[in-house]
Amino acid sequence: MYHFESKIISRGAGRSAIAAAAYQSGEKLYNDYDGLTHDYTKKGGVLYTEILLPPQAPTAWKDRQTLWAAVESAEKTKDSRLARQLIVALPIELGRNDWLLLLRGFIQTECVDKGMCADFAIHDPDGHNPHAHIMVTMRPLDAHGKWQSKTQKEYLCRKADEERGFTAQEFLQAKEDGWEKQYKYRSAAGVSAWLTPTQAAREPGWERCSKQPKAAKFGRQNPLCARWNSPEQLLDWREAWADAVNRALEEKQQSARVTHLSHAALGLDEQPTVHEGSQARSLELQGIKADLCELNRQIRADNKLLRELKAQLAKLSKVVENTVEHIAETLERLRSSLIMLQYRLLVNRKRADTWKRQVNYYRPILQDYHAVTQQLTDKKSEQEQLQTNRSVLSPLQIVRRRQLAEQIATLTEEIEELRSRQAMILRNLDCKNNGEAQRFGSYLDKLEEMQEKLAAQRESLAQQLSATTKQYLEIENMIQPKDADAVHRHRTAMRKASTAEIYRQIQTTATVDDILFSKAEQRAEQITADTRNDAVFTRKPTEPTR
């Protein structure tokens, strides 16, 4: 399964880097920014943790407390973006050592080599959902291991009629090229405007009323920050993770592969997954009754076939013209019926097996989703209650307020973890939201109901196959030994046309599965070959065994 999720840990969302690091590592960490202690030492499911640093980072940052305390202290505002968290699903085809090699290689190449500090942990709380949390820093480091600014002030300067933005460093060169900063000036009439000193000097009566030059509202992002925060970086990460997983699977000689591309990008009209029957399920989620309609069309076609076969057998049972041509034609017609019946049985069994695997595979996952969703609802309600309790406390109740704040922070991290689990389960179900998950549950219920219809259809087809085989044997037993070779020649001459006709008939109701059609031919041939041996050649004792 491919899953790659990226989210921002920000104070504006009520989170802290310390709390997130403590939660994903299962450790106890203290946040000096708000004075809260986050203790997750009793948290289960953490299999491994590790910190990877670029060469310019202080070696002391190998300690988790030190690293994320440095991140917290570098950010001053109440809505600061503290860290980025990547959550990836780990392939169950690989072992723990393989996961470590996979993660280290990806994180080193895609994050650490680009200047980020990375802290990752492998989780598998329930034993069948291995995944990794990767926290990376968002503020670049200079060559001396000091935090760089995320943004630089950008001064809006003017030369003639052109306005352009420059950072302080860029302005040193731009000044020599004739660019000037703009300042707020006010005229004698009380009108204000942004002017350069040269413009103000040319028009007497303007007085400068501000020391601050004109600047862009949000400044200019540090080029590294701009790259790390770009949509292109996320796309690169998604592709790199898919490539890394596929290389690891290939090295272990596993046939499974993943892709980061959407189905639209792959040029697929359907939503295929590695699980059988996904196309019909995807169409069902879009409101198109694909599987059920296909099954109903198949049942109608089969019922029509059975009626035709019964009528044909009833007619043949009354009279079979005792001529070589008519016997050959009748046997070929019955052979075509045998192929059709064998094909319908194979399609029926394949569909029944597919639906059974779908139900058996997805039902536990859907139950897990409902359990996680309920936990998420309960945690949110608990969090809201704690926030309400904290809001009514007196500012003097410092200890109690701190206790509640720590509980709220703990719940916040648990909620984020549950959201990630919920997103991963939805991805595994090929669903986008809770509504689609609910419809998918109804879809599984319908599949279970339709399996009973398939079983009834299968029994009817098997009975008709037995009757057709019996009729074939009865007619072949009527062949005189002297006519056997002539019947065989006539049948061989019409074989290609009769096979093409039965193929065309199947095509009129659904796309033909060529593999199953070939198997149906083989099974029909086994029946006819067996009956030839029993009914014809046993009456030629003088001939050698063929």
Side-chain angles (χ1 to χ4, degrees), residues 50 116 315 407 526:
E50 186 176 343
M116 305 174 202
K315 181 178 179 180
Q407 292 176 23
Q526 288 173 358

Side-chain angles (χ1 to χ4, degrees), residues 185-371:
Y185 283 82
R186 182 176 287 109
S187 67
V191 178
S192 60
W194 290 101
L195 302 173
T196 65
T198 299
Q199 288 175 319
R202 290 176 186 163
E203 302 179 24
W206 290 94
E207 244 183 73
R208 184 166 156 180
C209 58
S210 173
K211 294 182 180 181
Q212 298 299 324
K214 186 178 182 181
K217 184 176 181 180
F218 298 108
R220 186 192 300 176
Q221 272 198 37
N222 182 308
L224 273 178
C225 290
R227 172 60 189 171
W228 296 352
N229 293 328
S230 68
E232 292 76 17
Q233 178 63 78
L234 180 57
L235 292 175
D236 288 349
W237 273 333
R238 289 178 58 81
E239 181 177 3
W241 177 248
D243 291 342
V245 169
N246 287 333
R247 282 195 303 271
L249 291 169
E250 186 175 3
E251 288 173 1
K252 293 298 178 179
Q253 298 180 342
Q254 296 289 333
S255 60
R257 294 294 183 270
V258 300
T259 178
H260 65 291
L261 296 174
S262 67
H263 302 303
L266 289 170
L268 300 176
D269 294 330
E270 69 276 7
Q271 282 204 2
T273 70
V274 296
H275 311 293
E276 290 184 67
S278 60
Q279 178 183 6
R281 175 164 50 81
S282 173
L283 294 175
E284 275 285 297
L285 295 176
Q286 298 174 38
I288 304 172
K289 303 298 183 182
D291 267 328
L292 302 182
C293 289
E294 177 64 22
L295 176 63
N296 289 334
R297 285 193 296 270
Q298 192 70 65
I299 290 174
R300 285 193 292 271
D302 289 339
N303 289 340
K304 180 181 178 182
L305 170 66
L306 293 177
R307 287 194 296 270
E308 291 175 352
L309 288 175
K310 287 178 181 178
Q312 182 183 22
L313 291 174
K315 181 178 179 180
L316 288 172
S317 63
K318 292 180 180 179
V319 59
V320 176
E321 296 184 45
N322 194 20
T323 66
V324 168
E325 292 81 0
H326 281 89
I327 291 174
E329 182 181 346
T330 301
L331 289 176
E332 275 306 293
R333 206 179 304 134
L334 286 172
R335 175 184 174 275
S336 296
S337 298
L338 290 172
I339 294 175
M340 175 70 85
L341 289 165
Q342 291 284 5
Y343 180 79
R344 297 300 189 203
L345 275 170
L346 288 170
V347 170
N348 181 293
R349 291 192 182 101
K350 181 179 179 180
R351 182 175 287 116
D353 290 344
T354 297
W355 289 359
K356 184 177 180 180
R357 284 195 298 271
Q358 273 192 281
V359 172
N360 291 344
Y361 180 83
Y362 284 110
R363 184 67 75 186
I365 297 176
L366 195 62
Q367 291 171 349
D368 190 23
Y369 173 79
H370 291 316

